[in-house]
Amino acid sequence: MNTKLSMLLLVIIMATSCSEKTKTITNPEDYNQYLTLKTNTETLSATTEFDFWNNKLEETPNQVSYLSKIASAESRLFKSTGQIKHLKNAENALTTLNAETQYNSAGHLRALARNYISQHRFKDALLMLEKAEVNGQNLDGTQKMMFDVHMELGNFKLAKSYLEKVKDLNDFGYLIRVSKWSDYKGDLASAIKYLEKATLKAESSKLEDLMEWSYTNLADFYGHDGQIQKSYNYYLKSLALNPNDDYAKKGIAWIVYSFEKNPTEANRILEAITQLHKAPDYLLFKAEIAEFENNQEAKNNYLKSYFEAVKDENYGDMYNVYSSKILADINSEKAITLAKTEVENRPTPLSYDLLAWSYFNNGNTTEALKIIEQHVVGKTFEPEAQYHIAAIYKANGKLKEVAALKKQLQESSYELGPITARIVNQL
């Protein structure tokens, strides 16, 4: 009797174990149609737009207003192809436009500020927005962007003051920003609530660009909250609107990799994305998957390709964070240099976390502890930063604090990814 009971329990345990290992929420039949696209319709449309306005400008060079249309087309091309040259071309057009109009158009100033934000040149963006604020045209739009830039610069009190100036619970622009503020404060439930309201606003407006943006960002938040099924569903909703939404495809690839532990399928998705969209961070995703598969040679090759790609000076400081994190294990001195640049560019808790992590990997655990206690602890709730704090605490013998963080980090294993989650379990 005991033998039968033991066998039954063993079968139940094995069945449970297998179901956990094979638990999936994605289905290739849901998204395969978006992976087989031979052309990007957005790229074709933006190219047509660029050619039209560029020809118009060549015919009538004195019509500088055409530069705005050219910049818009170049920005669309950057988004659809990932090629940095288009973002720089847009910058050149907007710089010329603002010079020709003597920096007297708030709209043109905001457009250039948006371009600088995309390049992570937040201080330059702030200069443009300050001019736009003095100008006063569409002040509400300028103030919303002021919030965005001050958040990126770590000026949180100023950011909050601008948020209060544009407060309107019926306004999409306010809702997405109060959602971002809630997330920064560590209140993910409120962040999701406000973004859900913003999504409803976008849907009622029937503006597909806003809907697509809302769906992918809501998918991200649901993922952070462990609501993986909802996250997946919203990435699919975004793709239904725009089959070329590479961000949504990458989000699905992360679910397949981190939640379902299916590196082969994740790689298949990434290969499909990179046929039409080029960006260095895909190489880092592939490198992580290679490490997960214990393929050191492939990982090294992907990292080599990444560093070759970001040598392009057009990227400026856009990839400092990524590069510093990688170099922390390879060349910690270089990692420290890049992290210091990032702190100078945007002195946020996450930038200081990067600097502390670089010092930690350089063996200077005392300096790392000093930085995190002064600039990071209690000022950001991002799982990766919490992991760095825990590792630095452990190196400094603060084991009680490590134990408290470990439990939180284990609940964030999806967001951290399986490799970091494995390290967390060893803290």
Side-chain angles (χ1 to χ4, degrees):
M1 187 69 176
N2 287 338
T3 302
K4 288 182 178 178
L5 180 59
S6 298
M7 289 296 292
L8 178 61
L9 287 172
L10 180 61
V11 170
I12 293 171
I13 290 169
M14 288 179 67
T16 303
S17 175
C18 289
S19 68
E20 287 177 352
K21 287 181 181 178
T22 59
K23 183 178 181 182
T24 59
I25 62 169
T26 66
N27 183 347
E29 292 182 6
D30 295 335
Y31 54 80
N32 273 340
Q33 60 184 309
Y34 307 121
L35 303 183
T36 56
L37 303 174
K38 300 301 181 184
T39 57
N40 186 322
T41 53
E42 172 66 5
T43 300
L44 294 175
S45 172
T47 300
T48 299
E49 180 187 355
F50 170 80
D51 290 340
F52 176 81
W53 291 108
N54 193 52
N55 289 335
K56 293 273 284 185
L57 184 63
E58 288 178 354
E59 292 169 4
T60 52
N62 62 317
Q63 295 296 322
V64 294
S65 62
Y66 295 159
L67 289 168
S68 176
K69 302 292 188 180
I70 290 170
S72 174
E74 291 280 22
S75 297
R76 289 175 62 197
L77 283 167
F78 169 68
K79 183 181 177 184
S80 66
T81 67
Q83 294 178 22
I84 188 63
K85 66 178 183 180
H86 293 299
L87 189 62
K88 296 300 291 186
N89 289 343
E91 177 199 345
N92 293 336
L94 290 169
T95 300
T96 302
L97 176 62
N98 276 284
E100 290 288 338
T101 55
Q102 300 181 321
Y103 296 87
N104 281 329
S105 166
H108 297 337
L109 289 163
R110 284 192 297 271
L112 183 53
R114 275 189 287 273
N115 181 280
Y116 286 149
I117 289 170
S118 296
Q119 295 186 56
H120 292 195
R121 292 167 57 183
F122 301 107
K123 291 181 177 178
D124 290 334
L126 181 59
L127 290 175
M128 294 302 104
L129 292 174
E130 286 173 343
K131 291 179 184 294
E133 189 173 33
V134 171
N135 177 286
Q137 299 168 358
N138 188 10
L139 188 58
D140 180 77
T142 300
Q143 290 171 334
K144 287 173 182 173
M145 290 188 67
M146 277 289 202
F147 166 81
D148 299 336
V149 170
H150 283 302
M151 286 293 288
E152 296 292 348
L153 290 172
N155 302 328
F156 299 117
K157 286 184 179 179
L158 265 174
K160 183 67 185 303
S161 71
Y162 277 104
L163 187 62
E164 290 170 350
K165 288 178 182 178
V166 298
K167 184 174 181 179
D168 180 355
L169 288 168
N170 290 310
D171 178 66
F172 176 85
Y174 172 75
L175 288 169
I176 63 173
R177 288 171 173 85
V178 74
S179 173
K180 182 176 181 178
W181 178 260
S182 299
D183 185 46
Y184 155 69
K185 298 296 286 184
D187 185 356
L188 184 55
S190 292
I192 291 173
K193 179 187 72 174
Y194 287 121
L195 193 50
E196 286 173 338
K197 288 183 177 180
T199 301
L200 291 175
K201 290 286 181 187
E203 289 175 335
S204 66
S205 73
K206 293 184 169 52
L207 294 174
E208 291 192 356
D209 285 349
L210 295 187
M211 291 166 65
E212 181 186 349
W213 185 95
S214 300
Y215 293 158
T216 52
N217 280 271
L218 197 50
D220 286 348
F221 273 179
Y222 283 139
H224 300 335
D225 197 42
Q227 300 184 61
I228 313 302
Q229 182 68 61
K230 279 190 175 181
S231 178
Y232 176 61
N233 291 344
Y234 271 87
Y235 285 133
L236 290 177
K237 282 171 73 74
S238 180
L239 286 168
L241 278 178
N242 176 12
N244 299 117
D245 189 332
D246 302 296
Y247 187 86
K249 295 174 193 177
K250 186 181 177 184
I252 292 173
W254 183 260
I255 292 174
V256 170
Y257 161 66
S258 185
F259 182 75
E260 298 178 347
K261 309 296 188 296
N262 186 346
T264 302
E265 177 64 5
N267 260 326
R268 186 179 78 89
I269 297 170
L270 290 175
E271 283 299 319
I273 296 171
T274 53
Q275 295 303 307
L276 298 175
H277 193 268
K278 310 293 182 184
D281 43 293
Y282 294 125
L283 295 165
L284 298 182
F285 195 167
K286 290 180 178 181
E288 179 168 343
I289 292 174
E291 183 177 354
F292 178 75
E293 295 181 304
N294 296 313
N295 190 337
Q296 190 64 39
E297 182 180 0
K299 175 189 172 182
N300 291 339
N301 287 336
Y302 285 130
L303 292 181
K304 182 180 178 182
S305 296
Y306 164 81
F307 281 112
E308 282 297 319
V310 298
K311 279 182 181 178
D312 187 339
E313 61 183 17
N314 284 327
Y315 283 116
D317 293 326
M318 289 173 67
Y319 282 88
N320 282 351
V321 173
Y322 291 106
S323 297
S324 181
K325 287 177 185 176
I326 300 164
L327 290 168
D329 291 328
I330 304 169
N331 183 344
S332 54
E333 288 292 341
K334 177 65 173 174
I336 291 171
T337 300
L338 286 174
K340 284 182 175 178
T341 300
E342 195 65 13
V343 167
E344 174 63 25
N345 289 344
R346 53 197 300 200
T348 64
L350 289 177
S351 294
Y352 279 107
D353 167 64
L354 188 69
L355 182 59
W357 188 241
S358 301
Y359 276 118
F360 169 78
N361 282 279
N362 194 43
N364 194 341
T365 57
T366 303
E367 182 64 19
L369 180 64
K370 178 182 174 183
I371 292 170
I372 65 159
E373 289 188 330
Q374 185 174 351
H375 298 288
V376 185
V377 176
K379 296 176 181 177
T380 178
F381 301 92
E382 291 294 321
E384 186 176 34
Q386 301 305 303
Y387 157 60
H388 293 163
I389 292 169
I392 292 167
Y393 274 163
K394 184 176 181 179
N396 284 276
K398 297 170 75 75
L399 301 184
K400 184 178 179 181
E401 289 84 349
V402 174
L405 283 169
K406 183 175 180 179
K407 184 178 180 181
Q408 298 174 26
L409 288 166
Q410 287 173 326
E411 294 172 355
S412 301
S413 59
Y414 165 75
E415 193 170 350
L416 291 168
I419 295 172
T420 303
R422 191 184 306 151
I423 298 170
V424 165
N425 289 332
Q426 298 169 357
L427 285 172

